[in-house]
Amino acid sequence: MNLAKLSIAARLGLLLAVLAVLGAALSTWALREIDLTRSESRRAADVLTPQLLRMSEMELTLTRISLQARHAILARTPEELRGSLDEIGRHAQRLDELALAFESGLSTERGRVMFAEVKAHKARFWQEAGRVVEHLSLIHISQGIVR
């Protein structure tokens, strides 16, 4: 087709048709991208944000456990020691609840593998913590703090 033989109206009509097809293609692409962005936003709101909140609460709970452990080490009375150990027990229970909720919210195999390592470290932590409590109890008994 020779464009020079077409009238100006026909050439403008052809240009308009090409622009309309390009506009439709661009609109279709933009709508698809918007839909993808919406689904990612929904995933972030429904899955990732609650997981981040669980992680931050787990970190805060571990900090509380650490502070209560220091408190137990420095306990001067049996009541202080028992109170600190009871508080550690409550925080440990909350940490277990958070870990279960976090694990159930994992959506990838890589996340499950990485969290399995965290669980192994957590188990070792509590094993060592048990030894520390035994040692602490012996020290407090020898100092006459615990009856």
Side-chain angles (χ1 to χ4, degrees), residues 67-121:
L67 291 172
Q68 285 300 324
R70 290 184 186 123
H71 207 242
I73 290 169
L74 299 173
R76 293 166 292 190
T77 65
E79 293 79 25
E80 281 184 8
L81 179 60
R82 256 184 260 112
S84 291
L85 293 177
D86 289 346
E87 193 69 24
I88 289 171
R90 282 191 289 280
H91 290 309
Q93 185 178 12
R94 179 64 183 148
L95 186 62
D96 289 341
E97 293 167 2
L98 289 167
L100 284 173
F102 185 83
E103 187 173 21
S104 69
L106 291 172
S107 59
T108 64
E109 189 58 35
R110 182 173 180 254
R112 288 183 198 90
V113 168
M114 291 175 71
F115 193 70
E117 291 179 35
V118 170
K119 284 179 19 180
H121 289 296

Side-chain angles (χ1 to χ4, degrees), residues 107-146:
S107 59
T108 64
E109 189 58 35
R110 182 173 180 254
R112 288 183 198 90
V113 168
M114 291 175 71
F115 193 70
E117 291 179 35
V118 170
K119 284 179 19 180
H121 289 296
K122 188 176 117 209
R124 183 159 182 244
F125 169 81
W126 286 117
Q127 185 180 30
E128 295 298 323
R131 289 188 189 133
V132 170
V133 169
E134 289 173 17
H135 184 70
L136 181 62
S137 296
L138 291 174
I139 290 173
H140 282 236
I141 289 171
S142 71
Q143 292 177 353
I145 295 174
V146 178

Side-chain angles (χ1 to χ4, degrees), residues 3 5 9 12-13 18 22 26-27 29 34 37 39 41 68 89 99 115-116 119 122 134 141 143 145:
L3 292 178
K5 291 182 180 179
L12 286 176
V18 169
L22 288 176
L26 182 61
S27 296
W29 174 81
I34 288 171
T37 302
S39 66
S41 297
Q68 285 300 324
F115 193 70
K119 284 179 19 180
K122 188 176 117 209
E134 289 173 17
I141 289 171
Q143 292 177 353
I145 295 174

